[in-house]
PDB file of all heavy atoms in Angstrom:
ATOM      1  N   LEU C 326     -21.853   0.109  54.079  1.00 98.00           N
ATOM      2  CA  LEU C 326     -22.039   1.443  54.670  1.00 98.00           C
ATOM      3  C   LEU C 326     -23.436   1.980  54.394  1.00 98.00           C
ATOM      4  O   LEU C 326     -24.084   2.558  55.277  1.00 98.00           O
ATOM      5  CB  LEU C 326     -20.994   2.418  54.129  1.00 98.00           C
ATOM      6  CG  LEU C 326     -19.583   2.248  54.704  1.00 98.00           C
ATOM      7  CD1 LEU C 326     -18.631   3.238  54.054  1.00 98.00           C
ATOM      8  CD2 LEU C 326     -19.572   2.446  56.222  1.00 98.00           C
ATOM      9  N   ARG C 327     -23.903   1.792  53.171  1.00 98.00           N
ATOM     10  CA  ARG C 327     -25.276   2.247  52.874  1.00 98.00           C
ATOM     11  C   ARG C 327     -26.285   1.476  53.733  1.00 98.00           C
ATOM     12  O   ARG C 327     -27.315   2.019  54.155  1.00 98.00           O
ATOM     13  CB  ARG C 327     -25.586   2.064  51.390  1.00 98.00           C
ATOM     14  CG  ARG C 327     -24.804   3.042  50.550  1.00 98.00           C
ATOM     15  CD  ARG C 327     -25.019   2.868  49.062  1.00 98.00           C
ATOM     16  NE  ARG C 327     -24.041   3.692  48.344  1.00 98.00           N
ATOM     17  CZ  ARG C 327     -23.736   3.567  47.065  1.00 98.00           C
ATOM     18  NH1 ARG C 327     -24.335   2.643  46.326  1.00 98.00           N
ATOM     19  NH2 ARG C 327     -22.847   4.353  46.508  1.00 98.00           N
ATOM     20  N   GLY C 328     -25.934   0.219  54.009  1.00 98.00           N
ATOM     21  CA  GLY C 328     -26.846  -0.624  54.763  1.00 98.00           C
ATOM     22  C   GLY C 328     -26.983  -0.227  56.219  1.00 98.00           C
ATOM     23  O   GLY C 328     -27.942  -0.626  56.891  1.00 98.00           O
ATOM     24  N   ILE C 329     -26.052   0.526  56.750  1.00 98.00           N
ATOM     25  CA  ILE C 329     -26.179   0.937  58.152  1.00 98.00           C
ATOM     26  C   ILE C 329     -26.813   2.320  58.281  1.00 98.00           C
ATOM     27  O   ILE C 329     -26.843   2.891  59.375  1.00 98.00           O
ATOM     28  CB  ILE C 329     -24.834   0.879  58.901  1.00 98.00           C
ATOM     29  CG1 ILE C 329     -23.816   1.843  58.282  1.00 98.00           C
ATOM     30  CG2 ILE C 329     -24.284  -0.551  58.949  1.00 98.00           C
ATOM     31  CD1 ILE C 329     -22.580   2.047  59.170  1.00 98.00           C
ATOM     32  N   THR C 330     -27.306   2.828  57.166  1.00 98.00           N
ATOM     33  CA  THR C 330     -28.013   4.113  57.225  1.00 98.00           C
ATOM     34  C   THR C 330     -29.162   4.018  58.225  1.00 98.00           C
ATOM     35  O   THR C 330     -29.870   3.007  58.269  1.00 98.00           O
ATOM     36  CB  THR C 330     -28.569   4.461  55.829  1.00 98.00           C
ATOM     37  OG1 THR C 330     -27.476   4.551  54.924  1.00 98.00           O
ATOM     38  CG2 THR C 330     -29.313   5.790  55.846  1.00 98.00           C
ATOM     39  N   GLY C 331     -29.313   5.047  58.992  1.00 97.00           N
ATOM     40  CA  GLY C 331     -30.367   5.065  59.986  1.00 97.00           C
ATOM     41  C   GLY C 331     -29.837   4.795  61.386  1.00 97.00           C
ATOM     42  O   GLY C 331     -30.441   5.211  62.371  1.00 97.00           O
ATOM     43  N   LEU C 332     -28.687   4.120  61.462  1.00 97.00           N
ATOM     44  CA  LEU C 332     -28.068   3.958  62.783  1.00 97.00           C
ATOM     45  C   LEU C 332     -27.615   5.339  63.271  1.00 97.00           C
ATOM     46  O   LEU C 332     -27.440   6.277  62.493  1.00 97.00           O
ATOM     47  CB  LEU C 332     -26.884   2.993  62.699  1.00 97.00           C
ATOM     48  CG  LEU C 332     -27.231   1.549  62.299  1.00 97.00           C
ATOM     49  CD1 LEU C 332     -25.998   0.662  62.454  1.00 97.00           C
ATOM     50  CD2 LEU C 332     -28.380   0.996  63.139  1.00 97.00           C
ATOM     51  N   ASN C 333     -27.397   5.412  64.562  1.00 97.00           N
ATOM     52  CA  ASN C 333     -27.134   6.699  65.188  1.00 97.00           C
ATOM     53  C   ASN C 333     -25.641   7.045  65.165  1.00 97.00           C
ATOM     54  O   ASN C 333     -24.969   7.055  66.200  1.00 97.00           O
ATOM     55  CB  ASN C 333     -27.670   6.648  66.627  1.00 97.00           C
ATOM     56  CG  ASN C 333     -27.494   7.974  67.330  1.00 97.00           C
ATOM     57  OD1 ASN C 333     -27.316   9.017  66.692  1.00 97.00           O
ATOM     58  ND2 ASN C 333     -27.518   7.930  68.648  1.00 97.00           N
ATOM     59  N   VAL C 334     -25.128   7.311  63.975  1.00 98.00           N
ATOM     60  CA  VAL C 334     -23.689   7.563  63.823  1.00 98.00           C
ATOM     61  C   VAL C 334     -23.344   8.953  64.349  1.00 98.00           C
ATOM     62  O   VAL C 334     -23.992   9.940  63.997  1.00 98.00           O
ATOM     63  CB  VAL C 334     -23.265   7.443  62.345  1.00 98.00           C
ATOM     64  CG1 VAL C 334     -21.768   7.660  62.222  1.00 98.00           C
ATOM     65  CG2 VAL C 334     -23.663   6.095  61.776  1.00 98.00           C
ATOM     66  N   LEU C 335     -22.311   9.018  65.186  1.00 98.00           N
ATOM     67  CA  LEU C 335     -21.899  10.303  65.769  1.00 98.00           C
ATOM     68  C   LEU C 335     -20.614  10.833  65.159  1.00 98.00           C
ATOM     69  O   LEU C 335     -20.288  12.013  65.296  1.00 98.00           O
ATOM     70  CB  LEU C 335     -21.699  10.144  67.272  1.00 98.00           C
ATOM     71  CG  LEU C 335     -22.962   9.755  68.050  1.00 98.00           C
ATOM     72  CD1 LEU C 335     -22.617   9.592  69.518  1.00 98.00           C
ATOM     73  CD2 LEU C 335     -24.038  10.826  67.872  1.00 98.00           C
ATOM     74  N   GLY C 336     -19.869   9.950  64.533  1.00 98.00           N
ATOM     75  CA  GLY C 336     -18.601  10.395  63.956  1.00 98.00           C
ATOM     76  C   GLY C 336     -17.873   9.222  63.361  1.00 98.00           C
ATOM     77  O   GLY C 336     -18.313   8.062  63.490  1.00 98.00           O
ATOM     78  N   GLY C 337     -16.768   9.509  62.708  1.00 98.00           N
ATOM     79  CA  GLY C 337     -16.036   8.412  62.101  1.00 98.00           C
ATOM     80  C   GLY C 337     -14.712   8.866  61.520  1.00 98.00           C
ATOM     81  O   GLY C 337     -14.366  10.057  61.570  1.00 98.00           O
ATOM     82  N   ASP C 338     -13.984   7.900  60.998  1.00 98.00           N
ATOM     83  CA  ASP C 338     -12.705   8.217  60.377  1.00 98.00           C
ATOM     84  C   ASP C 338     -12.420   7.243  59.248  1.00 98.00           C
ATOM     85  O   ASP C 338     -12.963   6.143  59.207  1.00 98.00           O
ATOM     86  CB  ASP C 338     -11.574   8.189  61.416  1.00 98.00           C
ATOM     87  CG  ASP C 338     -11.440   6.848  62.132  1.00 98.00           C
ATOM     88  OD1 ASP C 338     -11.186   5.840  61.441  1.00 98.00           O
ATOM     89  OD2 ASP C 338     -11.582   6.806  63.381  1.00 98.00           O
TER      90      ASP C 338
END
Side-chain angles (χ1 to χ4, degrees):
Chain C
L326 285 178
R327 290 177 190 164
I329 62 168
T330 300
L332 296 188
N333 183 19
V334 182
L335 297 178
D338 58 61

